[in-house]
Amino acid sequence: MPALFALFGEIAGIFSLFSIFNRNFFVLCIIFLFILFLLLIVDKRYYIYIVLFFILGIFTTTLAVTPFRSPEIPEHLYDVEIQITGKVKEFSKGAGYTKNFEISHLSIEGEKFAGSARVYAETAPAPFSTVVVKGVISKNSSQDNFQKFTGCSYTIFGEDVSVTRSFAFFDFFTALRNTIEDRILLSMKSEEAFLFLSSVPGISSMTSDEKLPFIETGTAHLFAISGLHFGILGETSYRALTLFTPFAYEFSFVILTFFLFLVGFRVSALRAFFMYGACVLAKATGKELIPINTLSFAALIILLVNPFALLSVSFQLSFLAIFAILIIAPLFYQRLPQNFGFKMLTEAFSVQLLLFPLFAYYFHAVSLVAIIANFIVIPFLYLLMPISLIQLILTVLSFRLALFFAPVTNFFFSILVFLVKMFSKIPFASLNIQFNGYFVVAYFVVISLFIFSYTTKRRWRNLVFIPLILLVAASIFVRPGFCITPLQLSGEDGFIIQSGNDVVYISSPTYLTSEEKDLYSIQLALKERGINKIDLMVFNAPFKQKESSSVQLIEQFSVKSIVLPKVESNLQKAFITLNTGKTHVYTVSDADKIHFGDMTFRLVPGESDNYSVIMEHEGKTFLLAGRQFKFDNLPFYVDVAYFPRNLLERLKNTQLRFGEIHGY
């Protein structure tokens, strides 16, 4: 398996250079120990592949990292209108009039800057075009040393985008994608059309809320143009071409190349394309095809061209999923009855076993229904994808043909939507969870040891499974220590407080016009913290309206206790009556103290009928202020205070006493 060992060497080389660039010599030591371990366990004839690609990995990564040594865009250019030149990296994301695309090789008035920018504009140029964008630029939130290589550093809202250089080849595919988008949106139903565009030609057109059911059920792989698309298209075209030419495999490869340029050079598509290409080459030369070697070959090619792909979520998920199907699934399947149902079940289980720590790390959620959902959805895709490809071909040929076949496609996509939403509505379909990077590394080390011990038939292989179970079980129940997470909402701001296993949420009922936006912001913040329940909800204002995002939070997170300011209000009385029996509701005055776990809360009057919250924890006093904070002198000292940034300037003219001040 030379390609597999060459891939190990290249990955080690890439991480070695990243470690030197970030001055992380601890990781560098681990990499060299890994190389030493490889040289000890592999046959000597594979040494040359490991060493050669280790050097190649360092070389290609050096070339890729060099542009990041340029300076960042200076702060005085933020939030002002400028002209910035860059090179388009990919096809546009988003359907409709608001497009967005990424540009790199940034320069302003001839001066080069590091990083890349996400541009939002009415139109989007073709990949590899050189463009001049006129608009307002802002810096994105700070990223760690690895994320800055794969994420966008800046956001630009472009008023005008002009192309100074383009390539006719990519202009053609950009125009073709725009034609497909327009015709699909006009011929199909809206929900089915957006799902079709996102899952077949790879035109991102679904919002985060629309993708949420797919994430909760572990079926978000539908949006990755991968082996399922290329396999069905390749086999269908091959069988059709065998009727006309002896070079069916070669011509089918040409068709797949056209499809690759249409969907864009996303990692999952490249992986499937190179693996299919290796199959064609093996057929033509009569060589034996080794699946793990083919997978490694695809990864080698991608990483040689773009070492940063190793840090991307799509690369990791795509290759690990196929690795699970090729290596881990057979270990389970050989002990079960040999039929299609058990094969699908072992593949779905193996993929989830390998990918769930990455989902928890990147997306802060793990689907508990993923195995059964995929067991039903994936076989359905083998029927859906041929229909989708027929719809795609007809859409390219003629709008009338697309309109004629659209009812069939609508019907099958509506079934898919129904299945996914049905599984997402199952109680506890998804579990919010938060893993750190150390756990993810430890998990894959244990998995690797398990595979190595099992395939080499060592006696101690069964012992490896014990720490794996303990590691997974322990991670689910581990909670962070004490932390406070402020949220900016449309009404009064919110605070998430964690102390061990106790979770407190502090906010006021938000304005009706921003209910959905606020609810999404709160849910996202809770998800990122791995929170599935709220033990205590403290309102720092009385209810002023019938509808509020807080009402949905109470139901969704099974809030045990609610605290409200003691205010005579018919609406508040109705709210208390509604929740009686579901949760404990308490009303408090200014002088009352709320004791919960190792925390104590009390309300401090603010502007109008809003309150700030004073919290005491382990001898420290915290002030959780909001936009309605009343600037009177506090009668006591506050160790830590949280203020909205727009109020920090007013603090300079007050006599308030604070140890630390945190703006948000």
Side-chain angles (χ1 to χ4, degrees):
M1 296 185 291
L4 177 62
F5 296 119
L7 177 61
F8 285 151
E10 184 175 12
I11 291 174
I14 292 172
F15 272 118
S16 295
L17 200 282
F18 281 147
S19 302
I20 294 172
F21 185 79
N22 295 315
R23 298 180 181 179
N24 193 332
F25 297 105
F26 175 72
V27 174
L28 189 62
C29 291
I30 294 177
I31 294 298
F32 278 107
L33 288 174
F34 173 71
I35 290 292
L36 181 62
F37 176 72
L38 278 180
L39 296 177
L40 289 174
I41 65 171
V42 305
D43 194 293
K44 290 184 178 179
R45 57 181 172 167
Y46 296 131
Y47 283 6
I48 183 64
Y49 297 107
I50 297 173
V51 175
L52 175 62
F53 279 88
F54 177 78
I55 297 171
L56 277 175
I58 292 177
F59 176 71
T60 56
T61 309
T62 302
L63 295 178
V65 167
T66 300
F68 286 87
R69 293 187 177 275
S70 300
E72 294 185 348
I73 295 176
E75 292 186 8
H76 71 270
L77 295 178
Y78 298 164
D79 301 322
V80 297
E81 189 177 276
I82 61 170
Q83 282 191 341
I84 185 168
T85 303
K87 182 177 290 185
V88 180
K89 295 181 63 176
E90 57 187 13
F91 284 116
S92 166
K93 293 183 178 180
Y97 293 106
T98 303
K99 309 289 186 180
N100 70 86
F101 56 94
E102 187 178 349
I103 59 174
S104 59
H105 300 80
L106 308 179
S107 65
I108 302 175
E109 297 181 353
E111 185 177 356
K112 296 181 179 179
F113 296 99
S116 58
R118 175 70 58 186
V119 181
Y120 293 84
E122 292 185 359
T123 59
F128 305 106
S129 302
T130 301
V131 297
V132 177
V133 180
K134 180 181 179 182
V136 177
I137 188 170
S138 60
K139 186 174 176 61
N140 295 340
S141 58
S142 59
Q143 299 169 315
D144 61 37
N145 290 326
F146 284 153
Q147 287 177 332
K148 70 181 180 183
F149 295 128
T150 55
C152 288
S153 307
Y154 309 97
T155 297
I156 303 175
F157 292 96
E159 297 179 1
D160 180 66
V161 178
S162 57
V163 179
T164 59
R165 182 185 179 187
S166 64
F167 298 91
F169 183 75
F170 290 104
D171 287 340
F172 166 77
F173 281 100
T174 301
L176 183 59
R177 284 168 62 93
N178 291 336
T179 300
I180 292 171
E181 177 187 327
D182 293 339
R183 290 178 177 178
I184 288 295
L185 291 176
L186 289 172
S187 61
M188 292 181 63
K189 295 179 181 178
S190 58
E191 186 175 17
E192 287 80 0
F194 289 135
L195 180 56
F196 177 92
L197 289 173
S198 297
S199 59
V200 182
I203 302 174
S204 301
S205 53
M206 297 178 69
T207 64
S208 300
D209 288 342
E210 291 169 336
K211 288 182 179 180
L212 188 59
F214 295 88
I215 295 173
E216 291 177 340
T217 56
T219 54
H221 55 78
L222 288 169
F223 308 119
I225 310 301
S226 58
L228 186 63
H229 302 71
F230 281 83
I232 291 174
L233 180 60
E235 285 302 309
T236 303
S237 58
Y238 166 73
R239 293 182 184 278
L241 289 167
T242 51
L243 303 175
F244 306 100
T245 175
F247 302 102
Y249 264 117
E250 289 77 3
F251 281 111
S252 66
F253 187 70
V254 172
I255 293 173
L256 288 184
T257 304
F258 184 90
F259 184 66
L260 176 68
F261 280 98
L262 176 65
V263 301
F265 302 106
R266 53 183 67 197
V267 170
S268 57
L270 286 171
R271 189 261 307 156
F273 176 77
F274 286 131
M275 290 187 71
Y276 191 87
C279 293
V280 172
L281 186 62
K283 292 279 186 180
T285 58
K287 298 286 186 179
E288 181 185 0
L289 193 67
I290 303 174
I292 188 63
N293 232 22
T294 308
L295 181 66
S296 302
F297 167 76
L300 274 174
I301 299 299
I302 293 172
L303 293 179
L304 282 175
V305 176
N306 180 20
F308 292 157
L310 183 61
L311 305 178
S312 69
V313 181
S314 58
F315 180 92
Q316 296 168 15
L317 295 180
S318 178
F319 279 90
L320 284 176
I322 301 302
F323 180 84
I325 293 172
L326 296 178
I327 302 299
I328 298 180
L331 300 179
F332 297 110
Y333 181 55
Q334 65 187 6
R335 296 176 177 272
L336 297 171
Q338 306 294 292
N339 58 54
F340 178 76
F342 280 103
K343 184 180 180 181
M344 287 291 301
L345 186 62
T346 54
E347 288 180 356
F349 174 76
S350 300
V351 170
Q352 295 303 317
L353 178 68
L354 205 59
L355 296 189
F356 97 90
L358 288 179
F359 275 109
Y361 179 72
Y362 288 117
F363 308 116
H364 314 289
V366 173
S367 174
L368 302 183
V369 298
I371 295 176
I372 185 63
N374 281 286
F375 184 72
I376 294 176
V377 168
I378 290 178
F380 180 72
L381 294 179
Y382 283 93
L383 175 63
L384 179 67
M385 280 303 143
I387 294 171
S388 303
L389 292 173
I390 292 172
Q391 179 72 54
L392 182 64
I393 293 169
L394 295 179
T395 301
V396 171
L397 296 176
S398 166
F399 174 68
R400 289 186 178 181
L401 291 175
L403 193 62
F404 173 77
F405 195 73
V408 178
T409 312
N410 279 328
F411 173 73
F412 283 96
F413 268 90
S414 64
I415 294 176
L416 176 62
V417 171
F418 170 77
L419 289 173
V420 172
K421 289 186 176 180
M422 178 185 70
F423 283 110
S424 69
K425 292 178 181 178
I426 295 176
F428 305 105
S430 178
L431 178 69
N432 291 347
I433 195 168
Q434 186 181 41
F435 288 159
N436 57 46
Y438 296 106
F439 166 78
V440 176
V441 172
Y443 182 89
F444 284 111
V445 167
V446 174
I447 286 285
S448 302
L449 288 173
F450 174 71
I451 296 172
F452 175 72
S453 64
Y454 196 95
T455 54
T456 54
K457 305 298 182 182
R458 300 295 174 89
R459 292 181 178 179
W460 49 270
R461 67 188 185 193
N462 293 330
L463 297 177
V464 178
F465 204 66
I466 297 174
L468 173 63
I469 296 175
L470 294 176
L471 193 63
V472 175
S475 65
I476 295 176
F477 298 102
V478 169
R479 283 290 185 184
F482 176 77
C483 69
I484 299 175
T485 305
L487 303 176
Q488 288 189 339
L489 305 174
S490 62
E492 186 66 9
D493 297 329
F495 298 88
I496 299 172
I497 304 169
Q498 288 176 271
S499 181
N501 288 321
D502 295 329
V503 179
V504 180
Y505 177 68
I506 300 174
S507 184
S508 67
T510 54
Y511 299 134
L512 179 61
T513 54
S514 304
E515 177 189 354
E516 291 185 3
K517 180 181 177 182
D518 283 348
L519 180 62
Y520 179 74
S521 299
I522 299 167
Q523 289 174 333
L524 182 62
L526 293 169
K527 182 178 180 181
E528 289 178 348
R529 300 300 305 172
I531 297 173
N532 297 285
K533 64 179 179 66
I534 297 175
D535 299 294
L536 174 66
M537 182 177 285
V538 179
F539 289 111
N540 55 9
F543 267 78
K544 303 174 184 177
Q545 58 191 34
K546 295 182 180 180
E547 300 294 336
S548 169
S549 59
S550 305
V551 176
Q552 296 188 45
L553 283 177
I554 293 170
E555 297 176 355
Q556 182 176 349
F557 290 90
S558 303
V559 178
K560 297 179 181 178
S561 302
I562 300 172
V563 174
L564 289 162
K566 188 176 291 184
V567 176
E568 289 296 327
S569 164
N570 291 331
L571 188 57
Q572 185 149 304
K573 289 179 180 178
F575 171 79
I576 294 173
T577 303
L578 178 66
N579 287 279
T580 300
K582 301 178 182 178
T583 183
H584 300 287
V585 183
Y586 305 94
T587 57
V588 297
S589 61
D590 303 353
D592 294 331
K593 288 189 176 183
I594 309 151
H595 300 281
F596 181 75
D598 56 358
M599 297 170 284
T600 302
F601 302 89
R602 73 181 182 89
L603 302 179
V604 178
E607 302 291 344
S608 184
D609 52 1
N610 291 73
Y611 293 81
S612 296
V613 177
I614 294 290
M615 180 185 68
E616 296 177 6
H617 176 263
E618 294 185 352
K620 279 190 173 183
T621 304
F622 298 82
L623 171 61
L624 308 179
R627 301 178 207 177
Q628 307 298 326
F629 178 73
K630 192 174 183 180
F631 283 86
D632 293 332
N633 292 339
L634 291 177
F636 52 85
Y637 176 80
V638 173
D639 296 291
V640 183
Y642 288 82
F643 279 96
R645 293 192 182 277
N646 59 350
L647 294 184
L648 293 180
E649 187 67 26
R650 295 177 61 185
L651 290 175
K652 296 179 180 179
N653 302 320
T654 67
Q655 302 296 322
L656 301 178
R657 297 174 296 163
F658 303 113
E660 299 176 23
I661 298 177
H662 297 277
Y664 62 90

